[in-house]
């Protein structure tokens, strides 16, 4: 059974940086699956932040984080990272790691993500 464990969330000042980690257990998700970061702020819908497919291809970012966030992975450690720079108060949210097999050949569908972590809180103060 796949287990995803996020860490790295914290409270920071606007303009600061954080790096989130997502360690995967039970299956080599970084080698075979779509892997992604999502976030959800109170009262708002869940938003995909970025994703990448294990089989190659480009990383896709939400427009709201392009140029500030960087998704990387370490296949040997079966771990996904999200480097977040130039943080803004509107980045405040619970951040979730997700993984799963591609749905209809795409990692852009929410149906690609069958496994979810418990979330890590990011709070950005103005």
């Amino acid at each position: 059974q796949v287990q995803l464990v996020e860490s790295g969330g914290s409270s920071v000042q606007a303009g600061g940086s954080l790096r989130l980690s997502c360690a995967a257990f039970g299956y080599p998700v970084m080698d075979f699956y779509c892997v992604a970061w999502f976030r959800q702020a109170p009262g708002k819908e869940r938003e995909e932040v970025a994703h990448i497919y294990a089989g190659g291809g480009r990383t896709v970012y939400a427009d709201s984080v392009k140029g500030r966030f960087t998704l990387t992975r370490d296949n040997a450690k079966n771990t996904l990272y999200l480097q977040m720079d130039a943080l803004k108060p509107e980045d405040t949210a619970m951040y979730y790691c997700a993984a799963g097999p591609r749905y209809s050949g795409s990692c852009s569908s929410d149906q690609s993500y069958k496994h979810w972590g418990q979330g890590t809180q990011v709070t950005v103060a103005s």
Side-chain angles (χ1 to χ4, degrees), residues 31-56:
D31 290 327
F32 296 107
Y33 278 174
C34 300
V35 288
W37 286 97
F38 289 78
R39 67 185 181 185
Q40 189 166 22
K44 294 188 177 181
E45 292 192 356
R46 186 179 65 198
E47 172 191 25
E48 184 189 296
V49 175
H51 75 251
I52 190 169
Y53 176 54

Side-chain angles (χ1 to χ4, degrees), residues 29-36 51-60 71 73 75 100-103 105-108 112-113:
V29 299
M30 304 303 157
D31 290 327
F32 296 107
Y33 278 174
C34 300
V35 288
H51 75 251
I52 190 169
Y53 176 54
R58 64 189 178 95
T59 304
V60 177
L71 184 152
R73 59 185 177 179
N75 289 40
R102 285 192 302 178
Y103 181 80
S106 172
C107 292
S108 296
S112 293
Y113 301 100

